[in-house]
Amino acid sequence: MSYTVLARRYRSQTFDEVVGQEPIARTLLNAIKSKRVAHAYLFVGTRGVGKTTTARLFAKALNGGSPEVDDLIMQGRDTDTIEIDAASNTGVDNARELIANCAYRPLRGKYKIYIIDEVHMLSNAAFNALLKTMEEPPEHVKFILCTTDPHKVPPTIQSRCQRFDFRNIAAAKIAEHLTAVLAQEKVEAEPELVFEVARLGNGSMRDALSLLDRLLASGEKKLTVKLL
């Protein structure tokens, strides 16, 4: 059986499980409860701070309902929640295809939700094509744009989005989460080691978990600072 990395196995499955971005999670959840969901959002922050996870949780809250659909959304494989990596789909043709597909209603959910990761990588022509749809989007379409470099996202696109800035996660919060992960994995570790891994994550939960994965691969019965 293939090994699933910690960052994927311990990805937040509900808004209550989100670490370090609680105000954003709370605001998005309240928007749904009060039926004030915008047609486009811009999630800004460094890598590994929860942008894509939060986008999926938001999509699940809007379109989920059954365990099967919820799982597909969180895995990025749902037919109504379309994830696009702008880093490898930069051209105008990709944007035009997205726009053409916007016309079709969702298959089973209430909305067709587009999560565009690293949106700043789109070409100018692709941004212009996307802008035309964002100016007058169909009622059944929602956009969630994620970026690590907001300065490269045109102001015309940003002005049509509700922007959320994801902060680097505090080392103490990362350490708390790593401790919970180690307990689930039934692995003992020195508190000093846990905090050092959290610090080396530089505000990124994913980077901290990736480092912890590497340490676990050592096979040691107890993780100590000497392993770093």
Side-chain angles (χ1 to χ4, degrees), residues 85-96 116 118-131 152-154 156-157:
D85 178 12
S88 55
N89 295 278
T90 62
V92 65
D93 289 339
N94 302 114
R96 285 174 178 159
I116 307 180
E118 298 298 348
V119 69
H120 65 271
M121 297 291 288
L122 291 178
S123 66
N124 287 334
F127 270 128
N128 289 334
L130 178 61
L131 179 61
K152 294 182 180 178
V153 180
T156 50
I157 295 290

Side-chain angles (χ1 to χ4, degrees), residues 60 63-75 78 108:
K60 185 171 79 168
N63 266 2
S66 71
E68 179 187 1
V69 173
D70 289 352
D71 286 345
L72 288 173
I73 292 174
M74 294 308 295
Q75 292 170 24
D78 180 54
R108 58 181 172 224

Side-chain angles (χ1 to χ4, degrees), residues 41-214:
Y41 292 84
L42 179 64
F43 289 175
V44 175
T46 57
R47 63 178 189 166
V49 294
K51 299 186 301 297
T52 301
T53 294
T54 303
R56 290 177 178 177
L57 289 173
F58 196 38
K60 185 171 79 168
L62 290 170
N63 266 2
S66 71
E68 179 187 1
V69 173
D70 289 352
D71 286 345
L72 288 173
I73 292 174
M74 294 308 295
Q75 292 170 24
R77 299 192 296 114
D78 180 54
T79 53
D80 291 335
T81 303
I82 301 96
E83 294 195 21
I84 300 166
D85 178 12
S88 55
N89 295 278
T90 62
V92 65
D93 289 339
N94 302 114
R96 285 174 178 159
E97 182 181 359
L98 181 154
I99 291 166
N101 290 333
C102 280
Y104 301 107
R105 298 196 65 84
L107 295 177
R108 58 181 172 224
K110 186 176 181 180
Y111 301 105
K112 181 170 282 189
I113 302 169
Y114 290 93
I115 299 173
I116 307 180
D117 196 24
E118 298 298 348
V119 69
H120 65 271
M121 297 291 288
L122 291 178
S123 66
N124 287 334
F127 270 128
N128 289 334
L130 178 61
L131 179 61
K132 291 180 180 179
T133 299
M134 292 184 67
E135 285 176 335
E136 294 184 14
E139 290 185 359
H140 61 269
V141 172
K142 303 292 182 186
F143 290 100
I144 306 175
L145 314 180
C146 303
T147 181
T148 54
D149 197 345
H151 301 293
K152 294 182 180 178
V153 180
T156 50
I157 295 290
Q158 295 200 39
S159 67
R160 286 161 176 80
C161 300
Q162 280 192 15
R163 173 168 168 163
F164 288 88
D165 288 87
F166 286 65
R167 298 179 178 180
N168 284 359
I169 305 172
K173 282 187 172 290
I174 294 178
E176 183 180 347
H177 185 65
L178 295 181
T179 300
V181 168
L182 288 166
Q184 288 287 322
E185 295 292 308
K186 296 180 172 58
V187 175
E188 189 178 357
E190 290 180 345
E192 295 80 6
L193 177 281
V194 175
F195 189 80
E196 187 63 14
V197 170
R199 187 187 67 80
L200 290 172
N202 289 319
S204 168
M205 182 68 78
R206 185 171 66 227
D207 286 357
L209 285 168
S210 294
L211 176 54
L212 184 61
D213 247 327
R214 181 164 65 83

Side-chain angles (χ1 to χ4, degrees), residues 15 18-31 54 164-167 173:
F15 278 123
V18 170
V19 178
Q21 312 298 344
E22 292 86 352
I24 293 175
R26 187 164 54 249
T27 300
L28 293 174
L29 191 57
N30 287 339
T54 303
F164 288 88
D165 288 87
F166 286 65
R167 298 179 178 180
K173 282 187 172 290

